[in-house]
Amino acid sequence: MWYAIWTEDHPNSLPLRVTHRPAHLARLHQLRDAGRLMLAGPLPALDQEDPGEMGFTGSLIVAEFASLEEAQSWLDAEPYLIHGVYAKAIVKPFRKTLP
């Protein structure tokens, strides 16, 4: 089943994001390579693709896991969560309807 992972960053988290981005992307690439990643990306702090020094307010990941528990376990091991980029992170089942 698909699961949506919605996160919210701590204020001023951009330096931590930059530091831990390689490990974060490596985990997303593993999901992608296994055909289990629908989408992933950050939420810019400004209404523009590159928010510059303003950074990001969180992330959205939609990926396939065997269960809610497996999705939560994956999130619990997320470098951005472990190292304090994310202030809040939730996982919910997601049913793709369109397109």
Side-chain angles (χ1 to χ4, degrees), residues 21-79:
R21 189 169 191 258
H24 167 74
L25 289 179
R27 298 180 81 239
L28 292 173
H29 289 161
Q30 289 175 344
L31 289 173
R32 179 201 61 199
D33 294 347
R36 296 173 44 209
L37 183 63
M38 182 184 297
L39 63 89
L43 306 171
L46 299 175
D47 187 15
Q48 55 194 51
E49 187 148 338
D50 182 358
E53 292 180 8
M54 292 300 294
F56 301 92
T57 61
S59 298
L60 172 63
I61 300 165
V62 179
E64 187 176 34
F65 295 96
S67 66
L68 180 59
E69 292 77 18
E70 183 182 311
Q72 184 65 55
S73 179
W74 185 90
L75 176 59
D76 291 343
E78 168 55 45

Side-chain angles (χ1 to χ4, degrees), residues 69-92:
E69 292 77 18
E70 183 182 311
Q72 184 65 55
S73 179
W74 185 90
L75 176 59
D76 291 343
E78 168 55 45
Y80 280 1
L81 185 63
I82 292 168
H83 296 288
V85 173
Y86 295 154
K88 180 180 178 183
I90 60 170
V91 178
K92 293 193 175 200

Side-chain angles (χ1 to χ4, degrees), residues 7-27:
T7 69
E8 295 179 11
D9 283 15
H10 283 285
N12 306 309
S13 64
L14 187 57
L16 286 173
R17 269 186 173 270
V18 170
T19 298
H20 299 288
R21 189 169 191 258
H24 167 74
L25 289 179
R27 298 180 81 239

